[in-house]
Amino acid sequence: MALAVRVVYCAYREGYLQLKKKLEDEFPGRLDICGEGTPQATGFFEVMVAGKLIHSKKKGDGYVDTESKFLKLVAAIKAALAQG
């Protein structure tokens, strides 16, 4: 069964699509990634792995625009996959 990764974003669909591709390349066939754009300007770029908030622009994480931010997501996904 694929691990659920959910991204809620505001007006930055391109950032979501880039992250989705990068995660799919890192974990081919192992993730179920869905994105949800907010209907209004919210400032969101929130990433949840298996229902747990891992990255939050609203809480100061910004976008997933550096290798260290991406690796934080990779680590969370690996941990969730290991738990089954």
Side-chain angles (χ1 to χ4, degrees):
M1 179 182 234
L3 180 69
V5 177
R6 181 171 179 241
V7 181
V8 178
Y9 58 91
C10 167
Y12 192 47
R13 180 171 164 73
E14 184 63 31
Y16 158 67
L17 294 174
Q18 289 172 1
L19 177 60
K20 181 179 181 190
K21 178 173 182 356
K22 217 171 161 182
L23 289 173
E24 287 172 340
D25 289 347
E26 186 80 23
F27 300 96
R30 301 187 71 194
L31 304 178
D32 177 18
I33 304 171
C34 71
E36 175 188 340
T38 61
Q40 302 161 351
T42 58
F44 284 178
F45 199 88
E46 317 300 289
V47 183
M48 285 142 288
V49 175
K52 182 178 177 189
L53 182 64
I54 303 299
H55 180 94
S56 173
K57 181 175 177 280
K58 287 296 265 189
K59 292 184 178 180
D61 293 334
Y63 293 107
V64 182
D65 55 1
T66 65
E67 190 66 13
S68 63
K69 292 176 185 179
F70 179 72
L71 292 176
K72 177 182 166 188
L73 292 176
V74 168
I77 290 168
K78 284 182 178 178
L81 288 169
Q83 291 180 350

